[in-house]
Amino acid sequence: MSMDITITHTKNSKVHDVDFENLPFGRIFSDHIFVADYYDGEWQDARIEPFHKFQLHPATMALHYGQAIFEGMKASKSFDGKPMLFRPEDHAHRFNASAARLCMPDIPVKLFMTGLNKLVSLDQAWIPPQEGSALYIRPTMIATDEFIGVKPSQHYKFFILTCPVGPYYPKPVKLVAETKYVRAVLGGTGEAKAAGNYAGAMLPSKLAQDSGFDQVLWLDAKEFKYIQECGTMNVFFVINGKVITPPLYGTILNGVTRRSALQILSEAGYDVEEYPITIDELVAAYKNGTLQEAFGAGTAAVVSHISDIAYKDVMMTLPPVSQRKVGSFIKSTIDGLRSGRITDTYGWVVPVNEIVEAAVV
Ligand SMILES: *Cc1c(COP(=O)(O)O)cnc(C)c1O
């Protein structure tokens, strides 16, 4: 397999048409896209091209059988204007874990990293400068056999597209613990960032929104007892000073933000535990006044505070955001690492050009 990446520059950059102060999430796309195709058992024709639409055969397998996976990550600018990525290899490895579960080919980490690096380097003018804003990066793989029939495809397309996004200051979210539908079952695809997981979550999410909630809080599929995660975020609770997040059951996403938060908190001396907390324990903590914080953690928002959680006929209303020490500390630490305001002693924030050199060695 050749790692050479052909680059075709756009002749009409749109970067000057963008209002970087007012960026809707996920609707504006940068000038270039990275694409590679898998055929004859190898990744081939790796290229960066002007951003364009794909032409797909109506029988393209991903459209019918959902053999499709993605990642979500961010590039930001350091205080001196250098493009930086946050834990990019963690995302490459998780992408391959998702690929394995969906019976899709591995993408060599070196190809993933080189394509990512060259694309972000080329479109670095698209990285918004303010702390908290970023270039959101969406690596994706789809099955492209033109075939009606359920079997693993022989052809795949890998692509990376990017969108500039503004600082994400989400309102605290109101959740409802879901007691009818489930997101994932043990042995299923819940741990993969597989397209189909999100399709299955749309109806319960829509019903929750129709009842005045922002998102659902997923419970386990077997007993509707163990708290899983919410939307596209892992979930954390602070109970009586102790920080709790559900363990990686195999049904929840192994979040990079979750992993980062666990490490930041334990190094800062917090009492942190990956613990299979049940919804009944949460209600009990609420009732005895020890439930102090709840927040979601994921790349898009970093931290979303949770204002309320409904479960059956109990409505748990949490303390105001001004009292949320742990969630706010995580958000400001991760944003600060990304912007260079906080010195990165973890080796998580990687300058884009160093990755090229590292990957080429
Ligand atoms: C992407 C995602 C997360 C968060 O993962 P990060 O790596 O922190 O962005 C959590 N849950 C689900 C279902 C997700 O899709």
Side-chain angles (χ1 to χ4, degrees), residues 12 91 110 128 174 219 255 281 288 308 332 343 348:
N12 42 9
H91 288 278
K110 191 169 151 184
K174 204 170 164 179
L219 302 178
E281 285 170 289
N288 69 25
D308 307 84
S332 91
T343 308
W348 292 343

Side-chain angles (χ1 to χ4, degrees), residues 78-107:
S78 65
F79 62 91
D80 53 354
K82 291 208 179 74
M84 316 290 278
L85 294 163
F86 190 74
R87 309 191 77 169
E89 292 208 15
D90 288 48
H91 288 278
H93 290 297
R94 188 171 66 190
F95 192 75
N96 279 335
S98 299
R101 179 62 185 84
L102 279 268
C103 204
M104 300 169 95
D106 227 55
I107 180 118

